[in-house]
Amino acid sequence: MNRPHKEIIGNSSALTLALDHLSQLAPIDRSVLIIGERGTGKELAAERLHFLSNRWEQSLNKVNCAAISDEILDSELFGHEPGAFTGANRIHHGRFERADGGTLFLDELGTMSQRLQEKLLRLIEYGEFERLGGQQTLTVDVRIVAATNVNLKKMATEGKFREDLLDRLSFDVVHLPPLRYRPNDIEQLANHFAVQMCTELEWDYFAGFSATAFATLMQHSWPGNIRELKNAVERSLYRWGDPNTPVDTIVLDPFISPYQPAEIELPTTPVTIETHEKTPDPDQEMETDMSSKTFTELIHNREINILTSSLKTNQGHQGRTAKSLGLSYHQLRGLLRKHKLGRTENS
């Protein structure tokens, strides 16, 4: 007997509503459409729907329509007869035949061609289809659960998706909430992924996240949702490399180069040179004392003053400090390491 190998984690009200909706739909033997952004867990939702339904003892087949060309998808879904195309030398039983009595999950449904949409519509309406290159009409009993992250209603209006098929697929629609609508679930999800990664890294335990790291997790918008969070947590743990101290740095974007110089906006206001004497300003001591310091020393001291002042203004919060200075988080961390300001080891 098959069981889902992954669990849906979270207790937020938005997620609870979606899960309750799935539970209500499970025993109703109709096609269901699951809509959600990338990384929101549409496949896990389909698994939950299947294993809570009366078909739970039968097979759950999954097909990603976007990952297969139109010709191959036709054969993969409906099967083919010998001689249907070059290389077809035996009967191939498609996913609908293999899912007979169970559930077929069609992911990325919006990429399916109009021709296959028509064949799918006939199967939903009558339970009938023919294998590619075949003449015999076959019947199956399959519950279809489809998923997409595109606006199928808009596609139907534009003639890119069959309206009659959309009607048949959408007996009801389950909307999965993006992670930004589930802030209360972020900590639980992050800890779950971190503990899993600790096992993979053969660490004895997970020491947790520092306050700075946790703030980074909570402040990010997570456009890639749960998949992005999982990647960020796993990446951050292995880069941190110290199983005995809390993770202090969250690596959100591995494509950011530490060698890319910060873009500094030069002042456009003309500098006025005053000839009358002024009382020396301690904050400008570095600039005025050019006779005793080299250019490199002046820049070095100036960077330290700017970093120290900005950190103080932002109460030590490195994320806000980086933003106020127009730097990326990793650029700021590199400068802090360079000048040995604060705790930056293992970064």
Side-chain angles (χ1 to χ4, degrees):
M1 179 175 61
N2 294 324
R3 291 289 185 184
H5 62 284
K6 295 180 181 179
E7 57 182 319
I8 299 178
I9 297 172
N11 299 299
S12 64
S13 58
L15 179 63
T16 299
L17 286 173
L19 296 183
D20 287 347
H21 195 178
L22 287 169
S23 298
Q24 286 180 318
L25 273 172
I28 310 298
D29 201 18
R30 296 289 189 280
S31 299
V32 175
L33 186 59
I34 300 174
I35 294 179
E37 296 177 6
R38 61 186 176 94
T40 50
K42 296 185 287 295
E43 184 173 331
L44 289 181
E47 288 182 356
R48 181 183 180 88
L49 195 66
H50 171 74
F51 286 103
L52 289 178
S53 75
N54 297 327
R55 299 172 180 261
W56 64 275
E57 290 185 298
Q58 304 302 319
S59 64
L60 168 63
N61 277 263
K62 306 172 186 177
V63 179
N64 187 329
C65 300
I68 308 175
S69 67
D70 187 53
E71 294 76 14
I72 297 178
L73 183 59
D74 191 342
S75 172
E76 187 63 27
L77 290 177
F78 301 100
H80 64 253
E81 296 282 348
F85 50 84
T86 302
N89 50 23
R90 59 187 178 85
I91 292 178
H92 172 67
H93 299 281
R95 296 297 183 98
F96 280 110
E97 287 184 78
R98 285 181 271 167
D100 192 15
T103 304
L104 181 63
F105 174 55
L106 299 176
D107 199 7
E108 303 294 347
L109 181 72
T111 63
M112 183 177 288
S113 70
Q114 293 270 355
R115 181 178 64 83
L116 290 184
Q117 289 177 33
E118 185 174 355
K119 294 183 71 172
L120 178 60
L121 175 63
R122 182 187 173 198
L123 188 143
I124 294 174
E125 287 186 334
Y126 306 109
E128 298 178 349
F129 70 100
E130 290 87 32
R131 297 191 191 105
L132 188 63
Q135 302 296 323
Q136 181 183 2
T137 299
L138 305 173
T139 60
V140 290
D141 173 23
V142 176
R143 184 183 193 181
I144 296 175
V145 178
T148 184
N149 59 5
V150 299
N151 190 334
L152 289 183
K153 289 195 69 175
K154 181 180 179 182
M155 289 182 64
T157 301
E158 296 172 347
K160 299 177 182 178
F161 197 87
R162 293 183 63 104
E163 291 188 357
D164 46 3
L165 175 59
L166 183 59
D167 289 340
R168 295 307 304 265
L169 286 171
S170 57
F171 167 77
D172 205 351
V173 179
V174 177
H175 296 270
L176 296 183
L179 192 54
R180 61 184 176 274
Y181 286 90
R182 301 169 49 190
N184 295 336
D185 292 338
I186 292 176
E187 181 177 9
Q188 184 180 357
L189 284 163
N191 285 325
H192 172 76
F193 297 138
V195 169
Q196 285 186 330
M197 190 62 180
C198 284
T199 301
E200 186 174 339
L201 294 172
E202 297 183 348
W203 293 2
D204 292 334
Y205 65 97
F206 174 50
F209 296 104
S210 71
T212 300
F214 181 69
T216 301
L217 291 171
M218 295 302 296
Q219 291 168 6
H220 189 57
S221 60
W222 301 112
N225 295 290
I226 300 170
R227 186 181 297 119
E228 182 188 4
L229 173 64
K230 182 176 186 291
N231 286 338
V233 168
E234 293 178 347
R235 181 190 308 121
S236 301
L237 255 71
Y238 104 82
R239 285 201 186 184
W240 183 248
D242 184 358
N244 299 313
T245 59
V247 176
D248 189 50
T249 303
I250 301 298
V251 185
L252 294 173
D253 188 353
F255 290 96
I256 296 177
S257 170
Y259 308 111
Q260 181 178 353
E263 294 182 2
I264 302 176
E265 184 177 348
L266 298 177
T268 57
T269 305
V271 177
T272 303
I273 302 177
E274 300 184 11
T275 57
H276 60 277
E277 293 186 1
K278 293 182 65 178
T279 303
D281 186 344
D283 293 335
Q284 298 178 351
E285 180 180 354
M286 183 183 67
E287 287 86 345
T288 57
D289 188 17
M290 298 183 65
S291 61
S292 61
K293 293 183 176 65
T294 66
F295 178 80
T296 301
E297 289 173 331
L298 288 169
I299 296 300
H300 179 86
N301 292 341
R302 185 58 173 161
E303 284 185 352
I304 291 177
N305 289 342
I306 291 174
L307 292 169
T308 303
S309 175
S310 186
L311 282 168
K312 183 178 179 181
T313 300
N314 290 284
Q315 298 178 326
H317 192 285
Q318 295 180 9
R320 290 195 295 267
T321 299
K323 185 176 182 180
S324 69
L325 293 175
L327 301 172
S328 71
Y329 180 76
H330 298 292
Q331 288 170 339
L332 175 67
R333 297 283 294 178
L335 288 170
L336 294 179
R337 284 197 301 270
K338 172 183 174 182
H339 298 296
K340 297 181 174 59
L341 296 175
R343 182 186 185 281
T344 58
E345 63 272 14
N346 293 320
S347 300

